[in-house]
Amino acid sequence: MLQQTRVAAAIPYYERFIERFPDIESLAGAPEEEVLRMWAGLGYYSRARNLQKAARQIVAEHDSQFPREREKALQLAGIGEYTAAAILSIAYGKKLAVLDGNVARVLARLVAQRGDLRSNGRWAQLQSLADNLLAPQAPGDWNEAMMELGATLCTPRSPQCLLCPIAEFCQARKLGVTETIPEKRKKRPAVEVQLATVVVIDPKGHTLLLSPARHVGKSGKGNDVAALLSRMWHFPTTIVTKEPERELRAYVRAEVLRRLSSSAKFLPLSPVHHTVTHREITVYAFRVQVKELPDIAGAQKLPLQDLGAVPVSSLTRKVAHAALRGNEPRRHGSADRTDMLCF
């Protein structure tokens, strides 16, 4: 959970997760949907999927014990060099030095390493330095101390050098360049993506969610949209280009709600904005009020106010909140009530 997520934000999720999955057997044996549901809100859902895959590997291949050998640890889903070194040093006292962003920043400033730390072999050089500095008698404590130093004192901006226990050895401080080391990485250009989604609601406030497997359709866009929605339960959604409502209507009638009347009133909600890695996503959301939700194979009917029964992405939650607020732009002459449609 601490990969890509701050400690303070992860703690309540961790506590709920451990309560639900107290041991590796319960995690390995749980349905993937349940694991994703307990992870929902943390983002980067491949972490949860890999965590369960690794748990199943450990149960099946290692008698439910995390392997002690680096090579075997690296064969587990989601386990790379940093994670393997952290787990093996802290749990088993293995002499392996960690190198993550925090530790790399500390070491780069210590030796005044300029340039992009991820290019020209600099990361390997920092790993060698970390290996050489590792305290062999207490590798786990050393690694935790280095990570904590980078997270609390040797921060990216405004490092607290006066409180730093290794300030006297820091070359960057002596040269007055702590603020410019490490060099900021060039950001990948953002890719703009436009989606359109429909929230179908009945008089009881229930809505319709499609399963992850239901998304791929004739449009050929299904895999892309499924990835943007973290391959989780979602409202009917499609990629659009120029005319969101028209393109959404066509998608819904062709691939999801074939019995939807062509006169169905799509009430526009305020656009939802979301960022996933290098993608800037704009979602044009619409609400359709119906007398009765249709029966669709593989779909779920859930209260719009509580979608917690199934795993949904943060983006889907944002759309649900927009629909609950009912903050659609008022058009001239529009009425407060919405037309009721039947399927």
Side-chain angles (χ1 to χ4, degrees):
M1 287 184 178
L2 296 183
Q3 296 170 358
Q4 307 293 334
T5 303
R6 294 178 299 104
V7 173
I11 286 175
Y13 289 93
Y14 171 79
E15 291 174 341
R16 290 193 295 267
F17 198 89
I18 291 299
E19 183 178 0
R20 173 61 183 83
F21 308 113
D23 51 48
I24 199 163
E25 289 86 2
S26 60
L27 175 58
E32 181 184 280
E33 272 203 1
E34 179 67 3
V35 176
L36 292 174
R37 188 180 71 84
M38 297 303 298
W39 196 277
L42 276 173
Y44 297 95
Y45 294 98
S46 62
R47 296 180 298 173
R49 293 185 174 97
N50 282 332
L51 181 63
Q52 187 177 41
K53 288 178 184 177
R56 289 172 174 170
Q57 286 177 275
I58 292 169
V59 170
E61 302 170 18
H62 302 287
D63 196 27
S64 299
Q65 297 295 315
F66 195 94
R68 291 175 175 267
E69 297 78 20
R70 172 181 167 277
E71 292 72 19
K72 291 182 179 179
L74 289 173
Q75 292 174 4
L76 299 175
I79 302 293
E81 293 285 357
Y82 158 69
T83 308
I87 293 173
L88 294 176
S89 65
I90 295 170
Y92 298 139
K94 297 292 182 178
K95 298 174 184 179
L96 297 169
V98 300
L99 186 66
D100 67 350
N102 285 326
V103 176
R105 184 169 57 254
V106 172
L107 296 178
R109 286 173 173 166
L110 183 65
V111 298
Q113 175 66 69
R114 301 175 187 269
D116 185 346
L117 301 185
R118 295 281 185 174
S119 64
N120 298 324
R122 295 188 183 100
W123 197 260
Q125 294 171 8
L126 291 175
Q127 181 66 68
S128 178
L129 177 59
D131 294 340
N132 291 331
L133 292 175
L134 183 70
Q137 72 281 7
D141 292 344
W142 177 271
N143 282 333
E144 289 196 74
M146 290 292 286
M147 290 187 283
E148 192 73 2
L149 179 59
T152 60
L153 297 182
C154 195
T155 50
R157 291 178 295 275
S158 302
Q160 301 183 58
C161 298
L162 294 178
L163 300 177
C164 181
I166 61 171
E168 63 180 297
F169 308 107
C170 181
Q171 295 300 308
R173 183 168 185 256
K174 291 178 181 178
L175 296 172
V177 293
T178 52
E179 292 285 358
T180 59
I181 293 180
E183 179 181 297
K184 291 184 179 180
R185 301 192 71 191
K186 294 181 180 179
K187 290 186 178 180
R188 184 175 176 179
V191 176
E192 294 186 0
V193 179
Q194 296 185 91
L195 302 177
T197 188
V198 61
V199 181
V200 183
I201 309 176
D202 70 8
K204 294 181 180 179
H206 287 70
T207 190
L208 195 70
L209 291 185
L210 305 183
S211 72
R214 275 271 319 175
H215 202 283
V216 179
K218 298 176 183 177
S219 65
K221 304 173 182 176
N223 284 323
D224 294 335
V225 177
L228 294 172
L229 298 171
S230 302
R231 304 190 187 281
M232 300 170 82
W233 290 81
H234 57 276
F235 299 109
T237 304
T238 188
I239 292 176
V240 295
T241 54
K242 296 180 180 179
E243 301 178 57
E245 182 176 340
R246 181 186 64 78
E247 295 172 54
L248 178 63
R249 281 178 178 272
Y251 161 74
V252 167
R253 295 197 66 196
E255 302 183 19
V256 185
L257 309 175
R258 294 177 175 83
R259 296 172 58 193
L260 182 65
S261 169
S262 59
S263 63
K265 188 173 183 181
F266 279 51
L267 292 173
L269 304 169
S270 293
V272 172
H273 299 283
H274 191 69
T275 301
V276 179
T277 58
H278 64 282
R279 298 180 183 89
E280 298 289 343
I281 304 171
T282 300
V283 182
Y284 298 98
F286 296 84
R287 189 175 62 188
V288 173
Q289 197 80 26
V290 299
K291 287 183 179 179
E292 184 178 358
L293 293 174
D295 292 320
I296 298 177
Q300 287 263 23
K301 299 175 183 179
L302 297 169
L304 182 60
Q305 288 187 326
D306 183 12
L307 303 180
V310 296
V312 297
S313 67
S314 298
L315 178 53
T316 296
R317 290 187 184 278
K318 287 183 180 181
V319 172
H321 291 158
L324 284 169
R325 289 196 304 267
N327 59 348
E328 66 275 3
R330 292 297 180 191
R331 296 176 180 173
H332 179 69
S334 63
D336 287 336
R337 67 176 295 276
T338 59
D339 295 334
M340 303 294 282
L341 304 170
C342 290
F343 287 89

